Structure formats: C-alpha cells, structure tokens
Amino acid sequence: MKYDVAIIGSGFGSLTAAALLSKRGLKVCVLEQAKYPGGCATSYKRKGYWFETGATTLVGLDKHMPLRHFLDETGIQVPLQQLQIPMQVHLPDGQTLTRHAHLHDWIAEAERVFGKYNQRPFWEHCFSMSQQVWRSSLQQQSFPFSNFKDLLLSGLRARPGQVKLLPGAFLTMEDVLRKYDLLQNQLFVDFVNEQLLITAQSYLPEVNELFGATALCYTLYSNYYVPGGLINLVKPVEQYILANGSSIKYGQEVQAVATLADGYRLDTNKESFESRFVISGIPLNNTLLLFQDQKTKQRLKPYLLESEQLNGAFTMSLVLRAEEKRQEVLHHQVHVPQGVPGIGGKSIFISFSHPQDTARAPAGEMVASISTHVHDPQLHVVKDKQSIEMAILDVLVERGLIRRESILSVQAATPGAWIFWTKRAYGAVGGYPQYRRIKPWQMKDARLDHRGAYLCGDTVYPGQGIPGVCLSGIIAVNKLLQDHF
C-alpha cells in the first residue's frame, strides 16, 4: 500500500506530525520498532508495574505553548493532574530548595537560599524572556529558514517583541549571570548549571540566553502528572491517528530509505512501504544511516554531533513500599558535587509515581524513576553497574528521599541498554545539547532533502523536552504543507 506520508519512529514529535497530517485528510503510516508508542516520552510495563521510559515531567500546556496548541487543534483529551510544587532541589550544602510554581513565591525562595542580591531582577528577566520565546515559537513556524519562502513568511509574521529577542542568541547564560553580578555566588552557579543540564543538556558557558532563560523557567509554568504514566499522554494521540484513517505499525524497524521518482520506499526488518512524503522522527545520527541518497547524506553531515558532544544516562527503576507520610513533591534533583562514581554525573534526578496512582503500582506500593547523566557515552562504558546503583541509592537515602527498607526491587540501565532498546546512536538522551557556536538559525530545520523528506524530534530545531519535540512536529507539518499544498 502507498501512503501519503510515512513517519519513522513514534516519538512525541512524530505522533504530533501524524495527528496533524491525518486531521488534514492525509493517509499516514507511522513505523515504530518498539511495541509501545511515544519513544522517550512514554511508559513501559515490567512485572505488573508501569515505569517511565525517559521523560517524567510534563509542561507545555499554558497559553502560547506548543502542547496546548496541539491539543486545542486536535481536540485530544489527556488525563492530567496539576502539581502544586513542580520540583525540589537538594543542594550541596544540605539545603532543600523548593521550585514554586508562581514567580513571586519562587523569587522569595531563591532569595532565602541564595541571598537577595539581584535574584529578583534576574528571574523577572528570565521569565519575561521565556514568555516571549514561547509566544514567538508558534508565530514563527517557518524558522529556521531554508528557502526564500521561509524568509518571506517569517518577515510577514515578525512582531516587535521577536526582534527584541535577537541579542539573546548571541549571549550565553554565563553572560546573563555576569550582567546581574551573580557569577561570584557559587551555590547559585552550581544550581543553575545542574538545572540547565536537565533541560538544555549543557552548562552556563554554552547555553544561549534564549534557550537558557526558557529552560530555567519551566517550573514557573503549569507542571502536570499523568495518571498511569506518560503512556496515557501518547495513547490518546495514537487513538486519534487511527480514528482518522491512518496507521501505526509496531515492530517495524526502518533499515533503509530509497528515493523513488514519485516518493520514497522504506524497507523495514519485515516489509517495504511506499509514500509520497517521509518524516524522520529519530535522531539525526540514525537518520543519516537510513537514506541511501548521497546528496541527502552530505546535507545532513554538518549537523551531526558525535558521542563526545552528547549525553547518555544511567537510569534506575525502583519499586517502593509506599510511606504513610509520603511527601507531596514527586520530582527531585539531588546535587552530587563529588560526582557519581564511575560516570561522573553531578546530579541525580528522581521522580515518584503519585501515591494514589494504583495504575502504575498496586495500593501500598509506588514506583520511582532515577537518572543521572553520562557524558560521552561511547567513551564511558559502564562495567560495574552494581557499584553505581549502590552509590546512587546511598545518596538518595542520605537525603531522606527513600528508605532502604522500603525498596522492593531495583532495575538499572546503562547507555548500552538505551542503544539496545531504543536504537538511538550512542544511547544519547535528552536531544542535542546547546552549544554557543550553534545559533538557533544554524540548527537543522525540518527539511531533509528539499524534495519530500522532513525531520522532527529532539535532535533538530527546536528539539528538547516534550514541548520542544511537539513544536518540532508542528513545524515539520507546517513546512511540508507549505511546500506541497
């Protein structure tokens, strides 16, 4: 059967694109190598428990944000439970910092922990910039430019507030802290660095102001928990795609993409599919290996990042006996200034299931997802998994986040396991890191071959996080329709 659009992978960017295209009457086929939809924004079942595959937090549902736009556009309903406190951060000096959801409360907390000096103007500036970035992201769906029509449409959609954002592309977050004279506050610098790492995959000297200010403020937007796990974010999207006459085929690992006179042929481990258009929702490194056309390969090569520029993750899935007085906060970042032994990660992120969520664990039990970064995963091959597990658990027990006697089971995974299960090159997670030498307009845009192949996902502009990959799917659809309809 020949489809209008074949989409490689079922990550949230791919599902966004598939839903929007199927709404417009196009026949779409999503090809996914795994047995669940959602890629790194879903859940998996093991021994009766539901664990998060990658992402554990959900934002992007406020006004002018991509996930809100997508759900409004399609009418898809997702079960959501808003978090009153998005996160707590456990600092190296023993203090616990609460990332409140409202700007006024957050500034008061930041002043309590870091001192009053310039915290208010810094955070007011970052929040204001983040609001304008989100607003502009949906207004400028032809960005980055890769043909004259993009440039023309972007000019027509330009607003005064967007022009004011331009200097932020040339400044790093280190420059911003210097402007507010905050670089001498080492506790604050460490906090910002580790917060940037979980949102931008990089540190102060590399992350530009536009992305950094937005990343630091994600807790100041509505944060949600999805009962039953993030699988219940992607399942309604899957059902919407199927209801509109399109297909999602599981266990279909795309191994090659050939260019035909009137479209593309995608060869999987089981069969072949033909389509007029194709969208790759898998990482750029993996996409390069699929396309047989040498011109396409040459176009893509300048945008690739190698292992030494990427991050993998050491992850753990815990089953715990639920505590009677379980704290309200589900998400915690714990600083580890000495680094996790063997892998060097300077912070550990742990997310708990909601105590009342009996879909993920039976009553009286709960699950937790733990992750820490592994920089240059190809170089840092994990050989002693058990000692890393013990070191991480020791930190979490010491900070009072878990009790050793409450642990019912532990399952750990290395970047090697990520390669095995997700097929992602190097086992990289979180998308491409931000680097100051790569300006927003230099990131890979949605066009792959300027013919009929497009891109979305966490390694292209805008990339990272569920809101970012959702926006990448929106942009891929916009450019496909702009070019051909």
Side-chain angles (χ1 to χ4, degrees):
M1 181 183 290
K2 186 166 183 176
Y3 295 89
D4 294 314
V5 187
I7 300 181
I8 305 169
S10 70
F12 202 78
S14 294
L15 293 178
T16 297
L20 293 174
L21 290 167
S22 66
K23 183 193 174 189
R24 286 161 175 79
L26 295 176
K27 182 170 282 190
V28 180
C29 181
V30 179
L31 301 171
E32 168 57 53
Q33 58 92 20
K35 60 181 180 179
Y36 296 123
C40 294
T42 189
S43 315
Y44 69 94
K45 193 174 186 181
R46 180 178 173 83
K47 297 182 178 179
Y49 299 92
W50 282 95
F51 300 99
E52 303 295 30
T53 301
T56 58
T57 61
L58 180 63
V59 294
L61 285 154
D62 293 85
K63 189 177 181 181
H64 303 304
M65 296 182 81
L67 189 54
R68 174 79 280 141
H69 171 84
F70 170 65
L71 296 180
D72 288 347
E73 180 81 7
T74 57
I76 293 170
Q77 299 291 317
V78 177
L80 297 170
Q81 186 170 341
Q82 189 166 355
L83 301 177
Q84 297 304 308
I85 299 176
M87 182 199 305
Q88 285 184 327
V89 182
H90 304 262
L91 298 169
D93 65 356
Q95 293 188 82
T96 297
L97 175 72
T98 300
R99 295 226 57 182
H100 293 287
H102 300 289
L103 181 62
H104 177 76
D105 296 335
W106 163 239
I107 291 174
E109 176 73 347
E111 290 178 336
R112 179 187 71 82
V113 174
F114 302 118
K116 289 194 172 184
Y117 182 68
N118 274 353
Q119 287 293 320
R120 178 170 295 278
F122 173 80
W123 287 106
E124 288 178 343
H125 167 76
C126 288
F127 187 59
S128 175
M129 176 163 280
S130 73
Q131 290 178 308
Q132 186 57 50
V133 167
W134 283 123
R135 188 176 294 110
S136 299
S137 69
L138 287 172
Q139 293 169 341
Q140 290 291 357
Q141 293 180 32
S142 295
F143 186 83
F145 321 128
S146 58
N147 64 22
F148 178 74
K149 192 172 183 181
D150 280 348
L151 188 60
L152 178 62
L153 289 172
S154 293
L156 292 172
R157 295 165 182 161
R159 302 291 183 272
Q162 296 168 12
V163 178
K164 292 179 182 178
L165 290 175
L166 189 59
F170 296 93
L171 297 173
T172 66
M173 286 307 296
E174 186 175 55
D175 295 325
V176 179
L177 262 69
R178 184 177 294 110
K179 173 184 173 181
Y180 288 97
D181 195 23
L182 290 169
L183 284 176
Q184 82 288 351
N185 188 334
Q186 192 58 49
L187 187 65
F188 184 63
V189 169
D190 292 341
F191 161 75
V192 171
N193 267 330
E194 293 308 314
Q195 288 280 283
L196 287 175
L197 188 62
I198 60 175
T199 47
Q201 302 294 313
S202 202
Y203 287 133
L204 279 165
E206 297 292 348
V207 182
N208 72 59
E209 183 183 15
L210 295 178
F211 198 100
T214 307
L216 287 178
C217 290
Y218 84 93
T219 54
L220 297 174
Y221 294 87
S222 301
N223 281 240
Y224 295 92
Y225 178 81
V226 182
L230 284 173
I231 187 72
N232 289 326
L233 168 67
V234 298
K235 277 288 187 181
V237 184
E238 175 196 46
Q239 291 161 10
Y240 180 89
I241 293 165
L242 298 177
N244 278 324
S246 289
S247 305
I248 302 179
K249 297 183 180 294
Y250 297 106
Q252 297 275 1
E253 182 183 347
V254 178
Q255 298 178 332
V257 179
T259 303
L260 307 177
D262 59 347
Y264 300 87
R265 187 187 73 247
L266 293 83
D267 299 323
T268 77
N269 56 323
K270 295 179 179 178
E271 53 190 306
S272 294
F273 300 83
E274 289 190 12
S275 62
R276 184 180 172 193
F277 306 107
V278 63
I279 297 176
S280 175
I282 62 176
L284 295 182
N285 302 69
N286 296 81
T287 299
L288 177 74
L289 300 177
L290 297 183
F291 279 80
Q292 299 174 355
D293 177 63
Q294 290 303 312
K295 271 189 178 179
T296 303
K297 287 180 178 292
Q298 290 303 316
R299 281 195 180 105
L300 198 53
K301 279 183 180 179
Y303 298 97
L304 301 182
L305 296 183
E306 299 303 324
S307 176
E308 61 266 23
Q309 300 166 297
L310 300 172
N311 293 303
F314 185 93
T315 62
M316 296 170 64
S317 299
L318 271 58
V319 178
L320 302 165
R321 190 177 293 109
E323 304 288 344
E324 288 185 13
K325 296 182 179 179
R326 177 69 217 159
Q327 55 194 310
E328 296 178 353
V329 184
L330 301 183
H331 305 298
H332 299 260
Q333 184 186 38
V334 183
H335 285 226
V336 188
Q338 72 276 16
V340 176
I343 51 179
K346 298 286 188 180
S347 63
I348 298 165
F349 197 84
I350 180 168
S351 292
F352 296 96
S353 62
H354 195 282
Q356 297 174 352
D357 188 354
T358 54
R360 293 184 63 191
E365 297 179 7
M366 61 196 314
V367 297
S369 300
I370 299 168
S371 63
T372 187
H373 283 80
V374 180
H375 186 65
D376 191 354
Q378 189 176 47
L379 178 65
H380 296 101
V381 177
V382 175
K383 296 178 180 178
D384 187 0
K385 190 164 70 171
Q386 188 172 10
S387 67
I388 298 173
E389 286 180 22
M390 293 303 297
I392 290 173
L393 292 176
D394 285 346
V395 170
L396 298 176
V397 168
E398 182 185 345
R399 297 310 297 261
L401 290 170
I402 61 173
R403 294 197 308 141
R404 207 175 294 277
E405 55 268 31
S406 295
I407 301 173
L408 300 177
S409 74
V410 180
Q411 176 193 355
T414 68
W418 274 85
I419 295 173
F420 179 78
W421 290 111
T422 69
K423 314 297 183 184
R424 291 172 67 94
Y426 311 119
V429 299
Y432 272 7
Q434 296 289 307
Y435 287 108
R436 61 180 171 179
R437 72 179 186 278
I438 304 172
K439 303 297 183 273
W441 53 85
Q442 295 173 314
M443 299 176 76
K444 185 69 191 88
D445 86 307
R447 293 188 186 89
L448 179 56
D449 62 358
H450 289 260
R451 182 176 176 272
Y454 296 82
L455 295 158
C456 65
D458 66 5
T459 60
V460 299
Y461 176 87
Q464 303 159 329
I466 293 174
V469 294
C470 179
L471 180 58
S472 77
I474 292 169
I475 290 173
V477 168
N478 179 72
K479 292 202 173 188
L480 188 156
L481 297 176
Q482 176 184 306
D483 291 346
H484 301 284
F485 293 90

